[in-house]
Amino acid sequence: MTEIKESDRFECKVVNIINNLKWKGVMVKEIKSGGNVYFARTDPKRDLKPGDTLYLGVRELPSQMEEMQAEVTLYDKNDEKIDWTFI
């Protein structure tokens, strides 16, 4: 099994944008695994559209946190953090 480092980035595509009152929700699909991740609080000033390429970073959480296994961060092409969530 390959170890994932916090500096690793995984390419993903925006599949859906949900306009909330204050934020935009962004659903992305990771290219290799086909897995989806939803980010609920992205800045509405970002001009994200379905089909845009973004990147995921993953940080494993301590094993004591049973309901959450990792923190997943969404980045743009310049490695700027957009949002994060737990999975």
Side-chain angles (χ1 to χ4, degrees):
M1 185 170 176
T2 305
E3 183 179 333
I4 297 174
K5 299 181 210 116
E6 284 187 52
S7 60
D8 290 343
R9 297 292 180 261
F10 302 91
E11 186 175 338
C12 62
K13 295 283 185 186
V14 175
V15 293
N16 195 14
I17 303 284
I18 299 164
N19 290 310
N20 297 317
L21 295 175
K22 186 174 179 181
W23 306 98
K24 279 189 178 181
V26 177
M27 176 73 73
V28 298
K29 181 180 286 287
E30 199 274 329
I31 301 299
K32 288 186 180 177
S33 71
N36 292 321
V37 183
Y38 178 71
F39 296 90
R41 294 175 55 126
T42 63
D43 186 343
K45 294 176 187 162
R46 288 189 174 270
D47 189 27
L48 298 175
K49 301 177 287 307
D52 285 353
T53 299
L54 297 173
Y55 300 88
L56 298 172
V58 178
R59 181 175 67 92
E60 288 189 52
L61 297 174
S63 59
Q64 303 94 312
M65 300 186 74
E66 295 175 12
E67 29 334 298
M68 296 175 276
Q69 298 174 356
E71 178 182 318
V72 180
T73 305
L74 186 63
Y75 295 94
D76 66 13
K77 65 180 178 183
N78 299 316
D79 209 36
E80 185 178 325
K81 185 176 179 179
I82 297 173
D83 195 9
W84 61 273
T85 191
F86 291 117
I87 59 168

